[in-house]
Amino acid sequence: MTRSLDPAIQAPESVSELLERLDRIAGTLPKRLGQCADFLRHNIHLVAVSTVADLSAGAGVQPSAFMRFCQALGFSGFSEMQALFRAEYREFRPDYSERLSQLRRGGDDSPASLAASFAEAGHKSLVNLVNTLDHRALARAAEILADAGTIHLVGLRRAFAIVSSMGYLLDKMTVPAVVHRTFGQIESDHAIRSGDALLAVTFAPYSPETLELAIRAAERGIPVIALSDTAECPLRDVAEALLVAREMEVGAFRVPTAALTLATSLAVAVAQRRESRD
Amino acid sequence: MTRSLDPAIQAPESVSELLERLDRIAGTLPKRLGQCADFLRHNIHLVAVSTVADLSAGAGVQPSAFMRFCQALGFSGFSEMQALFRAEYREFRPDYSERLSQLRRGGDDSPASLAASFAEAGHKSLVNLVNTLDHRALARAAEILADAGTIHLVGLRRAFAIVSSMGYLLDKMTVPAVVHRTFGQIESDHAIRSGDALLAVTFAPYSPETLELAIRAAERGIPVIALSDTAECPLRDVAEALLVAREMEVGAFRVPTAALTLATSLAVAVAQRRESRD
DNA sequence: GTCCAAATGGAATAAATCTTCCATATCGGG
DNA sequence: CCCGATATGGAAGATTTATTCCATTTGGAC
């Protein structure tokens, strides 16, 4: 009765827990079970809508081998594993078809179908963010901001929502941070002291005020992190790290979903680093 | 042999074709089959991962009734219909899931894996937004704001990013809008004049300032639209329309992805309505 | 090369799920 | 109110799908 490699093991309770376990045991599996693991990793989305026969054929093994694989993962069998994927699917699948028929019925400019379009654009922006994210640059940015005395944030127009949200979040996590160019401020260079750092958020077409503030800070030796929507951002040369978050458009409009997600991640990472340092 | 209402009918070959047929015959179906149609329209995404027993229970009918419903749609049975949904699902290939799990693997507290988690949460928030969005309330909100003289926006703390972004967007589209409770303002009731409308954005735990401003406005007959993260928002009774955008958390943190998406949709819808009116 | 433990393939069995059938109930027209 | 047509519920049967079992193969240690 070798139900799993470790007989005391329990079944994963979520897909991400499963993937974690998969990674952990991946190297230790025998050939056929390894094929299953490999196939699963690359076709994870098929599990909810396939049979063991389908999946085992895809992996190039016998159904019984796939069965043993499920048990090695800690499940009682395939059905239990599939139930996990189906549950996750039920909860989080966009109802695109419903939306399509909504469009057919209601016409293209109903606010709800507009919202569906923006939501879809948001999905794409997030996928793109994850696929193109520069890990090194993000880690670097987190380090620099964690080492800084005060974190200065600047961003105008579309970028202001990003910095204000980040300012609030950092403040709530007791990280010293100030948002610049608000409340009728014209100049705020003097508030940026040696040992501080600046995060400049600017999207095309770039606000001259933001660029100038960042450039002056860089000239004084203040480390600058830039968050923009293209790699061709004018700050690319003065910034210690350039983070890029590109948004998909709906008509001429964009929701800064990816930028906000990236900024929030950065803020949380910075706060974590600061805490672990105290 | 009454396989379907029209014996010459052929099975739909895509989900949208199916929905079209569903709309066409919806009114003509007997009671139980009507229940099936209604349930299907609202839970179309469940078909791929459910059994007839599940679906018929959901619709409140016997499995045999659901069977007859499938046949009325032109399918030979449930399995044929389900195959359609499974096929469509297999094709929608989120190729980023692989990437996402790679990121997650790279250590739990690296900024990049944090970003991956937030991105994943964002996807879920958007899916949830689309699936639970109250079309009627959104359309109502757009109407009211389009009819208003000036649109007043209020939202503090986490909600401020939403209103500031919306304020910028409305302004860019030449819609009269002002953001309240900024720049050290204490009172701003007097700026809200008859014929105007107020959009209040507030998330649990609700800012008293926002609630009070909204309540006072409502008492004066100003129409109030509320945007919140639950249907239990304290403004639910005073608001003409309550919009709900719930965000998935990562640890204790949230990115207001869904709220921002909804707010942007609303702003664009309002601007469109105003333009078509001029 | 031999032996043992582990892995594998394939077929037999068990379980679940789909589908049909028919007795009963409901509805509408005359 | 009666009758025929249609709709319905429930359970039995057919089919698909999951799971287990075991004979055979493989791979590695000595």
Side-chain angles (χ1 to χ4, degrees):
Chain A
M1 153 66 134
T2 48
R3 168 133 297 180
S4 69
L5 300 183
D6 174 356
I9 209 168
Q10 282 182 41
E13 287 180 1
S14 69
V15 170
S16 47
E17 202 177 312
L18 182 157
L19 286 168
E20 209 172 294
R21 183 163 308 177
L22 192 57
D23 291 334
R24 201 166 55 242
I25 67 170
T28 75
L29 292 171
K31 187 175 164 205
R32 295 277 115 114
L33 268 49
Q35 283 173 244
C36 294
D38 197 52
F39 181 78
L40 187 63
R41 169 151 285 314
H42 291 93
N43 298 277
I44 199 86
H45 64 293
L46 291 183
V47 179
V49 297
S50 303
T51 65
V52 246
D54 293 340
L55 295 177
S56 59
V61 305
Q62 289 286 325
S64 52
F66 204 91
M67 227 41 226
R68 284 192 295 271
F69 169 69
C70 295
Q71 291 166 353
L73 246 29
F75 297 103
S76 69
F78 173 72
S79 297
E80 195 177 310
M81 174 169 128
Q82 188 178 51
L84 205 64
F85 284 88
R86 292 191 167 175
E88 195 137 311
Y89 174 92
R90 284 199 183 88
E91 217 175 322
F92 297 117
R93 184 92 230 287
D95 207 334
Y96 283 121
S97 324
E98 162 73 3
R99 186 208 145 208
L100 284 179
S101 71
Q102 202 71 34
L103 285 179
R104 229 187 349 262
R105 272 182 285 175
D108 226 353
D109 61 338
S110 87
S113 69
L114 203 54
S117 301
F118 276 116
E120 208 172 346
H123 281 296
K124 289 179 184 164
S125 299
L126 288 176
V127 168
N128 184 68
L129 175 68
V130 169
N131 283 341
T132 64
L133 184 59
D134 182 343
H135 300 200
R136 213 95 46 95
L138 180 58
R140 189 107 183 284
E143 283 303 330
I144 290 169
L145 295 182
D147 287 340
T150 294
I151 298 174
H152 298 264
L153 305 167
V154 61
L156 302 176
R157 306 160 69 70
R158 268 168 55 212
F160 180 67
I162 309 293
V163 297
S164 72
S165 155
M166 219 175 153
Y168 168 70
L169 195 55
L170 287 171
D171 184 67
K172 213 178 69 169
M173 298 186 293
T174 71
V175 174
V178 296
V179 178
H180 282 247
R181 300 279 157 164
T182 57
F183 305 116
Q185 270 176 324
I186 302 297
E187 274 299 334
S188 43
D189 292 39
H190 308 309
I192 306 179
R193 295 160 51 210
S194 163
D196 291 354
L198 175 68
L199 173 70
V201 184
T202 183
F203 304 121
Y206 313 95
S207 298
E209 298 101 312
T210 302
L211 297 183
E212 283 159 19
L213 180 64
I215 290 168
R216 281 198 306 271
E219 281 168 355
R220 288 175 46 210
I222 303 291
V224 173
I225 311 295
L227 170 55
S228 183
D229 53 355
T230 63
E232 284 72 46
C233 171
L235 293 178
R236 117 186 74 110
D237 295 324
V238 305
E240 298 283 326
L242 171 61
L243 303 173
V244 177
R246 197 169 129 248
E247 314 290 348
M248 299 298 144
E249 301 191 355
V250 172
F253 302 103
R254 278 184 280 251
V255 184
T257 303
L260 194 59
T261 300
L262 184 52
T264 304
S265 309
L266 182 57
V268 172
V270 166
Q272 280 180 346
R273 244 142 262 258
R274 290 210 173 212
E275 252 175 34
S276 70
R277 203 159 287 183
D278 293 343
Chain B
M1 156 69 138
T2 49
R3 168 133 301 180
S4 71
L5 301 182
D6 174 357
I9 210 168
Q10 282 183 40
E13 288 179 1
S14 70
V15 170
S16 50
E17 203 177 310
L18 182 158
L19 285 167
E20 209 171 294
R21 184 164 307 176
L22 191 58
D23 288 338
R24 200 165 56 242
I25 67 170
T28 76
L29 293 171
K31 187 176 164 205
R32 294 280 114 115
L33 269 48
Q35 283 174 243
C36 294
D38 198 52
F39 180 79
L40 188 63
R41 163 149 291 313
H42 292 97
N43 298 276
I44 197 89
H45 63 294
L46 292 184
V47 178
V49 297
S50 303
T51 65
V52 247
D54 293 340
L55 295 176
S56 59
V61 305
Q62 289 286 325
S64 53
F66 204 92
M67 220 52 222
R68 284 192 295 271
F69 168 70
C70 295
Q71 291 166 353
L73 246 28
F75 297 103
S76 69
F78 173 71
S79 297
E80 194 177 311
M81 174 168 128
Q82 189 178 51
L84 204 65
F85 285 88
R86 308 246 249 222
E88 197 139 309
Y89 174 75
R90 286 199 183 88
E91 272 167 47
F92 173 75
R93 238 174 178 282
D95 69 344
Y96 75 99
S97 60
E98 158 74 359
R99 170 100 189 181
L100 208 55
S101 60
Q102 270 176 357
L103 285 181
R104 252 196 316 259
R105 263 180 285 175
D108 234 352
D109 61 340
S110 88
S113 69
L114 201 55
S117 300
F118 276 116
E120 202 176 359
H123 281 295
K124 291 176 178 175
S125 300
L126 287 176
V127 167
N128 186 69
L129 175 69
V130 171
N131 282 346
T132 65
L133 183 58
D134 182 341
H135 299 197
R136 213 96 45 95
L138 179 58
R140 188 109 184 283
E143 284 302 329
I144 290 170
L145 296 183
D147 287 340
T150 293
I151 298 173
H152 298 264
L153 306 167
V154 62
L156 302 175
R157 305 161 69 70
R158 266 168 57 213
F160 180 66
I162 309 294
V163 297
S164 71
S165 152
M166 218 175 154
Y168 168 71
L169 195 55
L170 287 170
D171 184 68
K172 212 178 70 170
M173 298 186 292
T174 71
V175 176
V178 295
V179 177
H180 281 246
R181 301 279 158 164
T182 57
F183 306 116
Q185 269 177 325
I186 303 297
E187 275 300 331
S188 43
D189 292 41
H190 308 309
I192 306 179
R193 295 160 51 208
S194 161
D196 290 355
L198 176 68
L199 173 70
V201 183
T202 183
F203 305 121
Y206 314 95
S207 298
E209 297 101 312
T210 302
L211 297 182
E212 283 160 19
L213 180 64
I215 290 169
R216 281 197 306 269
E219 280 168 357
R220 288 174 46 208
I222 302 291
V224 172
I225 311 296
L227 170 55
S228 184
D229 54 356
T230 64
E232 284 72 44
C233 170
L235 294 178
R236 113 187 76 106
D237 295 323
V238 305
E240 297 283 326
L242 170 61
L243 304 174
V244 177
R246 194 171 132 245
E247 315 288 349
M248 301 298 147
E249 300 191 356
V250 172
F253 302 103
R254 279 186 280 252
V255 183
T257 303
L260 194 59
T261 300
L262 184 51
T264 304
S265 310
L266 182 56
V268 173
V270 166
Q272 280 179 346
R273 244 143 262 256
R274 290 211 174 212
E275 252 176 34
S276 70
R277 202 159 287 182
D278 294 341

